[in-house]
Amino acid sequence: MITFEHVSKRYPGGTNALLDINFHLEAGEMCFLTGHSGAGKSTLLRLILMLEKSSGGQVMVGGRNLSQTSQRLAPRVRQRIGMIFQDHKLLSDKTVFDNVSLPLMIAGMRYTEIKKRVRAALDKVGLLNKEKSWPLQLSGGEQQRVGIARAIVHMPPVLLADEPTGNLDPKLSEELFGLFGQLNEQGVTVLIASHDLNLIREMGQRVLVLSGGRLVDDIPAQHAGGDSF
């Protein structure tokens, strides 16, 4: 589903964000991406979303070579990818329902189908009773779950998350990781960038470790729950 072959990303001025990254995620796999601040986690996710172009190598998602894909086609690529940000990126002047419905409205879907999908997504994250609320009326954990509902409302086969628990307390973080696990059980390919090593160990999934822009470890799922990192 996601393949990086000798991928590098060099920014103007000579900064190397990623150096010769190689890995492959199978469809339906769940994986964590960890490493210290500045290790390259966010850059790697941005390459998958086509928010950045690699400087070398190939990024493949669902059989499509993103390194050779025109930016004109980026919206089509993103329709198959759900993205969850640490800061939610919710629109404060729109209700929960309207925030979650945005991807479907942009895609030109009919309102009857939008209504059905938005309510199904909100129900999945436990917020169906908040559809008429405003983002500022919600707790931080609820806002993050609205962000998840928006990311999954168009039923993408791939879900990315960039430090999704960075602003949450341990209990809410554990609930959020549990929700990611449920989505993965339904066949969604999940890649989560996180520095929460305790929760990552508890999940027992595959872990990719970045350091200085290099992939320094690839810990299989059956070992991720032990003392490998």
Side-chain angles (χ1 to χ4, degrees):
M1 176 60 76
I2 300 175
T3 301
F4 275 53
E5 295 180 351
H6 303 290
V7 173
S8 296
K9 175 62 181 178
R10 184 181 180 90
Y11 287 108
T15 303
N16 289 306
L18 296 172
L19 293 163
D20 197 31
I21 302 295
N22 293 276
F23 70 88
H24 173 71
L25 295 187
E26 296 286 352
E29 187 173 358
M30 184 174 187
C31 181
F32 288 91
L33 182 66
T34 192
H36 59 76
S37 179
K41 301 187 298 295
S42 294
T43 298
L44 190 151
L45 296 181
R46 288 174 67 84
L47 291 179
I48 297 172
L49 275 172
M50 288 190 69
L51 295 174
E52 304 271 5
K53 276 279 191 179
S54 62
S55 305
Q58 297 186 36
V59 179
M60 308 284 294
V61 177
R64 182 189 290 269
N65 188 340
L66 303 189
S67 306
Q68 297 177 2
T69 300
S70 165
Q71 278 298 126
R72 181 175 55 84
L73 297 176
R76 186 179 301 176
V77 172
R78 293 177 193 136
Q79 286 177 1
R80 294 177 53 78
I81 302 172
M83 181 67 198
I84 300 161
F85 301 92
Q86 180 177 340
D87 59 358
H88 322 309
K89 296 191 182 298
L90 301 181
L91 300 176
S92 60
D93 61 341
K94 293 188 178 296
T95 64
V96 166
F97 182 96
D98 289 340
N99 266 281
V100 175
S101 70
L102 274 175
L104 305 182
M105 293 178 66
I106 292 171
M109 190 173 289
R110 289 191 298 181
Y111 183 73
T112 51
E113 183 65 18
I114 288 176
K115 190 174 181 180
K116 177 182 175 183
R117 290 205 186 189
V118 169
R119 288 184 169 167
L122 286 173
D123 188 42
K124 190 166 289 186
V125 300
L127 290 178
L128 186 55
N129 63 331
K130 300 285 187 178
E131 65 174 326
K132 296 181 180 178
S133 299
W134 303 93
L136 294 179
Q137 295 176 312
L138 306 178
S139 68
E142 288 172 333
Q143 290 181 34
Q144 188 61 289
R145 282 189 279 160
V146 172
I148 293 174
R150 183 182 56 194
I152 65 174
V153 72
H154 57 301
M155 295 183 278
V158 177
L159 183 64
L160 308 178
D162 192 2
E163 298 287 359
T165 63
N167 296 324
L168 304 181
D169 62 42
K171 184 176 184 300
L172 287 174
S173 297
E174 187 174 354
E175 290 178 1
L176 202 60
F177 273 28
L179 180 56
F180 290 141
Q182 292 172 24
L183 292 169
N184 175 246
E185 289 173 0
Q186 295 169 15
V188 179
T189 304
V190 181
L191 179 59
I192 304 169
S194 177
H195 62 271
D196 195 332
L197 298 185
N198 288 330
L199 270 177
I200 292 174
R201 287 190 184 98
E202 288 179 15
M203 294 297 290
Q205 300 288 345
R206 181 182 176 189
V207 182
L208 302 176
V209 184
L210 290 177
S211 180
R214 295 183 182 277
L215 182 61
V216 296
D217 210 347
D218 184 343
I219 305 167
Q222 63 266 30
H223 296 143
D227 300 323
S228 300
F229 70 106

